[in-house]
Every structure is written in C-alpha cells, then in structure tokens.
Amino acid sequence: MLSQKALTNQSYLSLFTSSLLVPLLLTGCGGGGSSGSTSPVTTPTPPAVETPLTEVCANKIHTIVSATDDGSSATEFSPANAIDGNTASISRWSSDGVDKALTLDLGTTETVGALTIKWFEGAERVASFSVETSIDQNTWVTVLTQAESKGNQSGFELVNVDSSQARYVRIIGLGNSENTNNGIVEVQVHHCEDATGLFTDVLPNEVGIELVDWYLSVPTDEDDSGTSDSISETELAGGYSNSEYFYASGDNGIVMRSPSYGFKTSTNTNYVRVELREMLRRGDRAISTQGVNKNNWVFGSASAVGQADAGGIDGDLRVTLAVNDVTTTGENYQIGRLVIGQIHANDDEPIRLYYRKLPGNELGSVYFAHESRVEDSEGDNIETYVELIGSRSNSASNPVDGIALNEKFSYHINVNVNLLTVTISREGKADVSAHYDMSESKYDEDGQYHYFKVGVYHLNNSSDPDEFAQATFYEIKNSHTGYVQSE
C-alpha cells in the first residue's frame, strides 16, 4: 500500500577473465608488396560486474516485556499503559517534568531502527524528546537527539532512529509546546527504519484533495463526549492525520479505515464510520453547521427564499476511489457492505451509495438507496433501491462486470432540481448510469437542507472484532450553483 524502504546487501562474486585469439594483419614497410603474417594476440575480457541485489527489510515489531519510569508518574498513568495495546487516550503514560524517561525492555537484544508512537494530544501539541538505547542499561547510546513530534498526528507517528543493537529503549521526555508534561498513549519498537513503509511523511492535505470544505468523523472519543470525534475543516486543511483511520497513501490518495466497533456520531446511529461531511462555510464558525444557511445547499426546486439563504443550489459530487477491504463475517445482510458516498438532509438521506463484496465472490456490486420523506402505512420512510452493477442480494453470485477490491473507479452524483443521476465510471468500460425522480420525496420543502458525505460508512456491527472496511480516495470534488468555491 505504501512505499517501502529498501536496504541494499552487497554480494561478492569471484571475478574471472577469458582469452580470445584475435587475428591481427601485419603489413610490411617499403615497396614491392611484401606479404604479411598473423600472430596470436591475447585480449582480456573485462571482469563481470553484478548489480548488488536489493532486499526489502523484513520488518518486525518487537515484543516489549515491560515499561518502567522513575516512579514519579501517577498510578492511573503508569508506564504499563504505554504498551497495553489500548489506544484510547485515557490509557497512557504521563509524567511531568523535563528529562522524564520511559524505559522499554525488549527482553532480548534486537536491532532497533524505528519507533511508532501515539502521543497524548498528538494533533494539538508538539512533544519534545530524545531516544537512547542500551544492551545492559549501563552504557547508553543516543540514537535521536532533541526531536519533535509533528503536532498534527492523532494516531501513531513514525520516529526513525539510528539503527542499533539494543535490549532497552529509553524515550526521554522534554515536555511539549504547551507545558512540561510528557504523555505517550502507546509505543511500538520496530526492527526496520521507516517501519517497512507502513507510515509516510506525506499528509492528507498534500495529495491534491481540497479538505477545507469538509470535516471528518473518526471513531475515537478524545473529548470524552461519548460520541465520535469531529475534526474541523481548518484542522484537516492544516494537515491532520491519523495512522489508524485517516492518512495519506503511498500512491497519493487518502485512506479511510473504519473498524466494525468504535464510537459513533450519535446515539441514533448503529454503525461506525470514518467519513467526510461537506462544510460550505470552510472554517467560518460563525455559520451554524445545520439549517438552510451558507453551510448547506438546497434543491433547485426549493423556494426562492431558501435558495437565497443557502450556500448553494443543486449539487454535483465527483469521487475516484478504490475499496481495499470489506468484512467477511457477521450477520448475513451486513457482510461486505459499506456506504462510500451520500447526500444527507436534515434527518434523511436522498441517496446512500453502496459497495458490497461477498466472501465467495471475486468482484463487488454497486447500488444506491433513495430514502423518501413520504412514510408508509407503518410510519417508516419509503426506501427504494437501485442496482447499478451486480446485485445487493445477501446471496448474490459473482457479478460478471463487478468491481474488485483495490480496483479504481469513479462515481458521480448529481442533483438537478429534483432529478438524481448516479454514474459509475471505470477505465476501458462503458459508464453505468441511473436516474431517479425525487419530485415526490419532499426534499424541496422549506427548511430542508443538504450536504454531501464521502468516506467509509461501515454498515457492519456484527463482524469479528479485528475486521474493518477501508477505501482509498484519489479525487473528491464538490460543486453547487452559486457556490464560488466549486471545483
């Protein structure tokens, strides 16, 4: 998925030479046309040179037997928290003061080339630190001096160090950009520099996707609100990254990865998501996120007052992506499905665009649901499903013209007055399109507003705990009539 650091091994071969007898014509001097004779001449062949073989470092995440400090950390923030596998911020090592050290014992001497560290409040403050290693805890080697964290990484951050042989690794905290606290939520020790390319220095805001008119939901709860965290437009545009859920890929995309379980956006939803929400206000917090206002858009069939108050009229969304992973276990109707794009209204969804691949199939299907605001006899909103590629059935056969995992494709969602058009495009194949008339769905009534959503809305809450859904996004462009920042 991401680029890997290649390490070169020198290989030595015995050199050899061979001799060739080359006829050489010798011509005599003077007149009379004297005849010439040949004499064997030995010409050595240049020695054979072999290009050194290139090997990829076989990365290993070393087992950490124990973690200790000088005893000054509070009981609830003990060193053991930094190696317990729990990446929630409440489970962290924390110690106040300069030169407070967290010492890791690997149990045996290993090659140490990098660390990955999840800093406490890593996206809000810059941590200062040094790293030392030792074989016996008597002699210490400095492998990184007075380094700083990036200050915009909410997940694990790669820390390359001078490669050394070590049993003990000591992270010396030097405080942070706000105070003298040193906080590490979780740390891993790697054999290889760059941790075999699982991390990249490129940030999501650097891959060509404009992020200032989106905010992000991730399934963590750093603010103790009981719901998932929201990353603002300005944070995203400033380079926010989370190595667990939202990060740049090695091929210039943005990876969104959603587990099956985690914090949700509200108590009214059943599923976890890593998803962008359109924000036409572009960081202007004086404008509310909700309502018919400059943050949201309305249909072209809305009233003149609604159109004047909104941030845009009608909508156009173009996205290029590849779905990388889906679940293979869980309830029959939930396996392998996720929503990759939406139009959301006040409470309802004019469209949810699905990708689904069943475990027995090589290819996946694409379909969408339209939720009308008109209710059925039982008081539920009427939903209509439209299949674009393959079938949404829980027992669908392999779709003949389906989309494989890791295959790039594009979708285009367009609203023109009350007409919804959805198009799927792939290189070398004909587009697949469908239209839906929404004139009876009541989304053009006064007070109704809309916004696009893009990402991984993971509709499986019954899979094995270690399963997840993941997609990589290469293009996200949104536009509206009257919205000056349209792409």
Side-chain angles (χ1 to χ4, degrees), residues 93-154:
W93 170 72
S94 180
S95 184
D96 289 320
V98 177
D99 292 331
K100 294 295 184 178
L102 176 68
T103 301
L104 311 173
D105 181 2
L106 307 182
T108 59
T109 299
E110 304 282 359
T111 299
V112 174
L115 309 177
T116 45
I117 301 175
K118 181 172 181 178
W119 301 99
F120 176 58
E121 296 185 345
E124 288 83 44
R125 65 189 197 181
V126 177
S128 299
F129 64 102
S130 296
V131 180
E132 298 176 346
T133 61
S134 175
I135 293 176
D136 55 10
Q137 281 194 302
N138 293 318
T139 302
W140 291 89
V141 177
T142 300
V143 293
L144 186 64
T145 303
Q146 295 184 333
E148 290 186 339
S149 68
K150 294 180 179 178
N152 54 15
Q153 302 279 351
S154 181

Side-chain angles (χ1 to χ4, degrees), residues 128-195:
S128 299
F129 64 102
S130 296
V131 180
E132 298 176 346
T133 61
S134 175
I135 293 176
D136 55 10
Q137 281 194 302
N138 293 318
T139 302
W140 291 89
V141 177
T142 300
V143 293
L144 186 64
T145 303
Q146 295 184 333
E148 290 186 339
S149 68
K150 294 180 179 178
N152 54 15
Q153 302 279 351
S154 181
F156 283 90
E157 185 173 329
L158 173 66
V159 178
N160 281 321
V161 299
D162 294 338
S163 183
S164 65
Q165 295 296 303
R167 172 175 172 173
Y168 302 95
V169 178
R170 187 160 66 186
I171 304 170
I172 303 170
L174 306 173
N176 65 78
S177 54
E178 295 181 357
N179 50 50
T180 60
N181 177 256
N182 306 289
I184 293 178
V185 177
E186 199 73 15
V187 60
Q188 297 174 331
V189 179
H190 296 258
H191 176 87
C192 295
E193 180 186 357
D194 287 342

Side-chain angles (χ1 to χ4, degrees), residues 61-379:
I61 300 177
H62 299 307
T63 299
I64 302 174
V65 174
S66 65
T68 57
D69 64 6
D70 64 0
S72 63
S73 57
T75 302
E76 64 268 31
F77 300 129
S78 70
N81 290 347
I83 60 170
D84 63 359
N86 186 347
T87 58
S89 289
I90 192 63
S91 175
R92 67 182 187 272
W93 170 72
S94 180
S95 184
D96 289 320
V98 177
D99 292 331
K100 294 295 184 178
L102 176 68
T103 301
L104 311 173
D105 181 2
L106 307 182
T108 59
T109 299
E110 304 282 359
T111 299
V112 174
L115 309 177
T116 45
I117 301 175
K118 181 172 181 178
W119 301 99
F120 176 58
E121 296 185 345
E124 288 83 44
R125 65 189 197 181
V126 177
S128 299
F129 64 102
S130 296
V131 180
E132 298 176 346
T133 61
S134 175
I135 293 176
D136 55 10
Q137 281 194 302
N138 293 318
T139 302
W140 291 89
V141 177
T142 300
V143 293
L144 186 64
T145 303
Q146 295 184 333
E148 290 186 339
S149 68
K150 294 180 179 178
N152 54 15
Q153 302 279 351
S154 181
F156 283 90
E157 185 173 329
L158 173 66
V159 178
N160 281 321
V161 299
D162 294 338
S163 183
S164 65
Q165 295 296 303
R167 172 175 172 173
Y168 302 95
V169 178
R170 187 160 66 186
I171 304 170
I172 303 170
L174 306 173
N176 65 78
S177 54
E178 295 181 357
N179 50 50
T180 60
N181 177 256
N182 306 289
I184 293 178
V185 177
E186 199 73 15
V187 60
Q188 297 174 331
V189 179
H190 296 258
H191 176 87
C192 295
E193 180 186 357
D194 287 342
T196 311
L198 295 176
F199 296 83
T200 175
D201 287 333
V202 177
L203 296 173
N205 68 332
E206 298 173 334
V207 302
I209 296 175
E210 188 172 34
L211 293 172
V212 73
D213 50 3
W214 303 89
Y215 83 54
L216 173 71
S217 294
V218 289
T220 60
D221 184 23
E222 302 290 349
D223 59 3
D224 296 322
S225 65
T227 58
S228 61
D229 291 321
S230 295
I231 312 304
S232 72
E233 313 95 280
T234 51
E235 288 178 274
L236 284 179
Y240 171 88
S241 180
N242 186 314
S243 65
E244 296 172 89
Y245 307 116
F246 184 86
Y247 54 92
S249 66
D251 58 350
N252 237 30
I254 295 176
V255 177
M256 299 191 213
R257 180 181 183 276
S258 176
S260 298
Y261 308 94
F263 289 95
K264 306 176 184 70
T265 53
S266 72
T267 56
N268 297 323
T269 186
N270 295 318
Y271 303 106
V272 175
R273 69 187 80 199
V274 176
E275 192 177 43
L276 294 169
R277 191 269 202 210
E278 188 179 31
M279 302 285 281
L280 303 186
R281 70 182 190 178
R282 297 171 69 89
D284 184 355
R285 298 198 178 192
I287 302 173
S288 173
T289 61
Q290 299 178 335
V292 180
N293 58 23
K294 297 305 178 184
N295 190 55
N296 305 306
W297 53 277
V298 298
F299 284 14
S301 52
S303 68
V305 172
Q307 293 188 36
D309 289 342
I313 302 166
D314 290 332
D316 192 88
L317 176 65
R318 298 175 184 269
V319 175
T320 299
L321 75 154
V323 177
N324 310 120
D325 287 281
V326 297
T327 55
T328 60
T329 63
E331 295 289 341
N332 193 33
Y333 71 99
Q334 295 183 348
I335 295 173
R337 68 173 185 167
L338 63 150
V339 170
I340 54 178
Q342 297 184 61
I343 296 175
H344 206 290
N346 307 35
D347 302 303
D348 312 300
E349 296 154 339
I351 178 176
R352 297 189 306 273
L353 181 63
Y354 291 77
Y355 174 90
R356 188 178 194 191
K357 193 190 84 66
L358 298 180
N361 295 340
E362 295 181 0
L363 305 175
S365 303
V366 178
Y367 55 94
F368 70 84
H370 170 73
E371 181 182 16
S372 172
R373 296 183 62 236
V374 177
E375 297 179 350
D376 60 20
S377 58
E378 297 181 356

